[in-house]
Amino acid sequence: MSKSISSESILAALGKVQEPELHKDLVALNMIRDLAVEGDRVTFTVVLTTPACPLQGRIEQEAREAVLAVPGVKHVTVKMDSSVPVDGRLRGALDLPIKHAVAVASGKGGVGKSTVAVNLAVALAQSGARVGLMDADIYGPNIPTMMGVQKIPGSNGDRIVPAEAYGVKLMSMGFLVKPGQPLIWRGPMLNSAIRQFLGDVDWGELDYLVIDLPPGTGDAPLSLAQILPLSGVVIVTLPQTVSLEDASRGLEMFRTLEVPILGVIENMRGEFFGEGGGEDLARVAKVPFLGAVPMESAVRIGGDTGEPVVVNQPDTAAARRLMEIAGQVAARISVVSLERRNAPSIELLD
Ligand SMILES: Nc1ncnc2c1ncn2[C@@H]1O[C@H](COP(=O)(O)OP(=O)(O)OP(=O)(O)O)[C@@H](O)[C@H]1O
Ligand SMILES: [Mg+2]
């Protein structure tokens, strides 16, 4: 009779498989669950830190191969699952069951922040995550149009019920004011509007809340960073180098506010605007480059018709890049939050 296979030997093998983004092994990261050994059959589940994990296939294959290499193992069944780790600070700050808040920002206007925010949110939802989208551009809210939703369902007691489209819960000032009505805000009002959008909206449990910011380095990003502990910010920039200075100003502001910079996205790459500005900015600022989205009419049409390109034309190059970028953003959130959890906490003495 052959010697039975021990769970320890399987865990030892899986302990040699690295999570490529987090640079730790699957066992140390507590990603292996439900390990069962029956004769020469081994079954286990790998719990990833995001359903949008871009390296899912590779992790599954490496885990399978590592276990198959254990003497005596003939059959391996790997189940893949995910559970986004909680950024406890958010719960602490506003008592919201939201795991991660991620802002989409830029140094200047019209670079495609709202377009990126919408497609990022929808792509994350398509991967199976629970996603909300908050339009913090209270001066020029575009999210309702881009998501094809004109109004919110109403309220549920004292809380506003968010609208929902393409599996994403959304809230925008555009739902609360009449079209064409000018929106004039001063600092404190802006602050309370953002607070309301977070606290008075019944978001439910979310893995990711994507926040679309107004352009520039004004009050909104400041208020937001003060009110809520962001898991990170992505900076959208155009390919031309002339916009580098503006983009870099936006990025550095978040650095000053101690918001982790998840990376840079170059939007509208192509003949018209050229290419390379995003990579340049990422290099100069020493932050990751998350990818480039080509300039394609399908993207604009998606925004105008309220059917985001990742839904409407998922086979276009732009939609594919946007989906890949969503995976990169999710992976970066996992990395940044792991780094934060591992960082020694600093206690301030008074
Ligand atoms: N990759 C792309 N290809 C083609 N058109 C695009 C692309 N990205 C964005 N657009 C279009 O460019 C215009 C500006 O985009 P968007 O509104 O997303 O920018 P923004 O940075 O949010 O602007 P604002 O600063 O005014 O909030 C929109 O008409 C949008 O459809
Ligand atoms: Mg916008």
Side-chain angles (χ1 to χ4, degrees):
M1 206 181 89
S2 67
K3 204 164 137 276
S4 68
I5 301 158
S6 69
S7 304
E8 287 73 27
S9 62
I10 305 296
L11 286 174
L14 288 169
K16 297 206 175 69
V17 179
Q18 294 282 308
E19 209 288 357
E21 307 268 6
L22 303 176
H23 303 295
K24 282 190 169 193
D25 70 78
L26 302 185
V27 177
L29 288 164
N30 194 23
M31 286 179 160
I32 306 299
R33 310 283 164 84
D34 304 330
L35 172 62
V37 184
E38 271 177 52
D40 57 5
R41 286 175 187 276
V42 178
T43 309
F44 59 92
T45 304
V46 179
V47 182
L48 301 168
T49 54
T50 172
C53 178
L55 299 164
Q56 194 155 344
R58 175 171 150 194
I59 296 171
E60 178 178 350
Q61 190 190 342
E62 288 184 6
R64 179 189 308 282
E65 284 169 3
V67 174
L68 270 173
V70 174
V73 176
K74 295 264 160 39
H75 306 276
V76 178
T77 308
V78 189
K79 291 184 198 142
M80 300 301 282
D81 198 353
S82 68
S83 168
V84 179
V86 182
D87 182 337
R89 297 172 312 152
L90 253 174
R91 248 182 226 274
L94 288 161
D95 199 24
L96 291 170
I98 297 174
K99 291 183 176 176
H100 295 283
V102 45
V104 180
S106 71
K108 64 179 215 159
V111 301
K113 281 178 302 304
S114 302
T115 304
V116 167
V118 159
N119 284 285
L120 188 65
V122 174
L124 287 171
Q126 284 173 337
S127 77
R130 295 166 300 175
V131 184
L133 174 59
M134 176 178 138
D135 188 354
D137 188 348
I138 59 172
Y139 306 99
N142 292 136
I143 297 295
T145 305
M146 289 185 171
M147 290 290 274
V149 179
Q150 297 322 317
K151 55 179 201 267
I152 39 173
S155 64
N156 148 22
D158 53 354
R159 305 190 90 188
I160 299 169
V161 178
E164 196 162 339
Y166 311 110
V168 173
K169 291 183 178 168
L170 47 135
M171 187 59 205
S172 167
M173 194 46 72
F175 295 137
L176 306 181
V177 294
K178 294 194 190 79
Q181 188 177 322
L183 292 170
I184 303 160
W185 297 89
R186 270 160 302 175
M189 277 165 73
L190 176 88
N191 201 295
S192 69
I194 291 181
R195 229 174 246 283
Q196 272 191 1
F197 269 21
L198 290 163
D200 295 353
V201 173
D202 191 4
W203 292 105
E205 302 227 344
L206 296 180
D207 294 317
Y208 304 105
L209 177 66
V210 178
I211 303 172
D212 180 30
L213 286 173
T217 49
D219 285 344
L222 265 169
S223 295
L224 192 66
Q226 283 161 1
I227 294 170
L228 138 139
L230 292 164
S231 291
V233 57
V234 296
I235 307 290
V236 181
T237 187
L238 292 182
Q240 330 105 294
T241 30
V242 282
S243 65
L244 217 140
E245 208 172 300
D246 297 310
S248 150
R249 208 174 304 126
L251 190 151
E252 294 306 332
M253 180 195 62
F254 283 98
R255 221 193 299 256
T256 312
L257 294 170
E258 293 183 11
V259 175
I261 318 287
L262 300 173
V264 173
I265 298 169
E266 179 177 306
N267 187 31
M268 306 201 212
R269 178 175 278 197
E271 256 175 61
F272 195 77
F273 287 125
E275 64 174 84
E279 272 127 327
D280 288 346
L281 174 64
R283 193 172 48 248
V284 171
K286 299 195 172 59
V287 299
F289 179 62
L290 300 170
V293 183
M295 173 117 139
E296 277 181 20
S297 56
V299 179
R300 182 189 51 74
I301 293 165
D304 289 347
T305 58
E307 220 184 313
V309 69
V310 294
V311 174
N312 189 15
Q313 298 223 45
D315 293 331
T316 54
R320 274 187 270 125
R321 291 295 95 72
L322 283 159
M323 291 185 231
E324 284 162 16
I325 288 169
Q328 294 300 323
V329 171
R332 281 285 297 150
I333 292 174
S334 299
V335 172
V336 167
S337 48
L338 183 76
E339 282 169 357
R340 187 183 310 109
R341 284 202 301 278
N342 290 343
S345 59
I346 299 163
E347 283 187 26
L348 295 174
L349 300 172
D350 52 13

